[in-house]
Amino acid sequence: MFESAHETKVKVCGITNIGDAMACAAAGVEMIGLNFSPPSSRYISPKNAADIMAAVRASSGETVKFIGLFVNQEREFVASLARDLALDGVQLHGDESPQYASNLKASFVIKALRVDEQFEASNATGYSCDAILLDSWSANAFGGTGKTFAWSVASAVRPLVRRIFLAGGLTPENVTEALKAVRPFAVDVCSGVEIAPGRKNHAKLRRFVEAVRAADEIHA
């Protein structure tokens, strides 16, 4: 699925419009996250998602992958939407069980786990999915909070899973330090490159990608 030459993949989540999606493609982002959870301020309809995907694929081919984000939604709905839109992957960002994740019919499944003070690295080992994403825990939202967590937790999880995605409060200013601490398969940014929820700052977006590429060069 991921044929990028870059060591660390970049995923930008919460894309809601064609302009931001095209900016991601131009910056060299590997994955675009589309939020299909209705309570989210970054929610988009399947029709909007289809338009975004068509525009990017028309200009960039299959180089950019599209990941659908879902939160505690019916498994049949998730699988159906993933199939109908030809999503490249699915991200489960709610309280979905290991059984839910393993039985989901999708080409690439990412299970997000939210890290709080009681989180243990072994919490990630029950999921037999393609990747584990670690995000900051919040009582008010399932993601996109702009808060970081202790990256030492992610370092402990990394050797226990197939792939680790690091999220939670990443910005152009701190992603270099995060990569040094964790060395994840991918970094996932949302609010750290936004003007407002669902609207990206293209300059910050470019700086974020540049910082990731520069860090890869240092650690190569």
Side-chain angles (χ1 to χ4, degrees), residues 146 148 168-176 189 191-193 204 207-208 211:
T148 60
L170 296 179
T171 68
E173 291 72 35
N174 69 12
V175 70
T176 299
V189 66
S191 62
V193 293
K204 282 188 176 181
R207 290 206 308 274
F208 185 88

Side-chain angles (χ1 to χ4, degrees), residues 176-189:
T176 299
E177 183 181 354
L179 289 175
K180 181 179 179 180
V182 181
R183 300 297 296 275
F185 171 77
V187 287
D188 188 314
V189 66

Side-chain angles (χ1 to χ4, degrees), residues 12 15-32 34 51-61 63-64 66 200 202 205-206 209:
V12 178
I15 294 296
T16 63
N17 60 82
I18 291 174
D20 287 351
M22 297 295 279
C24 287
V29 168
E30 281 88 2
M31 289 167 276
I32 287 176
L34 305 172
D51 292 342
I52 291 171
M53 294 170 68
V56 173
R57 286 175 173 167
S59 66
S60 304
T63 58
V64 180
F66 289 91
K200 304 306 182 193
H202 296 183
L205 174 62
R206 288 190 297 271
V209 176

